[in-house]
Amino acid sequence: MSILRSLPLIALISFVLPSSQAPAFRGDRICEDFLKKWDKKPTELHFTDCERVEHVQMDRFVASYVVNGAEAEDVETYLKEDFQMTSLRFICCGWDSLNIDDLTEPSAGVYRDRFGNEFYIKMYSAETLIQSRGQWDDIPEFYVRVTTYLGEP
């Protein structure tokens, strides 16, 4: 059977089968609270929104979360253990999981869902003069972003 003849069949399958039985395509993802969906969201972390970010090179979904400074260390520990995110460091003007010592090493944590889609987990603060972990309680909020890229580069 030629590829042109099989395309209508593929389209028909996706309409006839229930969504749980339809083929999983990378582009069928929706923007949502990813950590909750995976049952991997710490109770201290609060989902704020998810948006599709359109970009010339590649569109992406970005789920945003917030945690207060007093609970940030617990969330950081969880993200390091579950997603292998790097530790937060004070860089210039704020706390970030960016690894500036070795840019060849990943800074963000990574999660791969059952369809093979990759998600990148990152934690950071807004600008602050607080350079000591012992003073994180004085930082009002830290942020977590979960990003997944749509399509191929």
Side-chain angles (χ1 to χ4, degrees), residues 86-147:
T86 58
S87 297
L88 271 68
R89 298 175 45 182
F90 186 81
I91 303 170
C92 169
C93 313
W95 290 88
D96 200 308
S97 58
L98 179 65
N99 183 357
I100 62 170
D101 293 330
D102 186 353
L103 296 177
T104 64
E105 288 295 314
S107 297
V110 178
Y111 178 80
R112 187 176 299 229
D113 71 8
R114 62 189 176 118
F115 301 111
N117 299 309
E118 286 188 342
F119 297 80
Y120 302 93
I121 298 94
K122 180 172 179 44
M123 186 173 176
Y124 60 95
S125 75
E127 286 189 21
T128 181
L129 297 175
I130 296 170
Q131 298 182 31
S132 167
R133 286 178 163 272
Q135 294 179 299
W136 276 13
D137 290 4
D138 297 332
I139 299 175
E141 296 176 331
F142 282 75
Y143 307 96
V144 173
R145 300 285 183 263
V146 177
T147 302

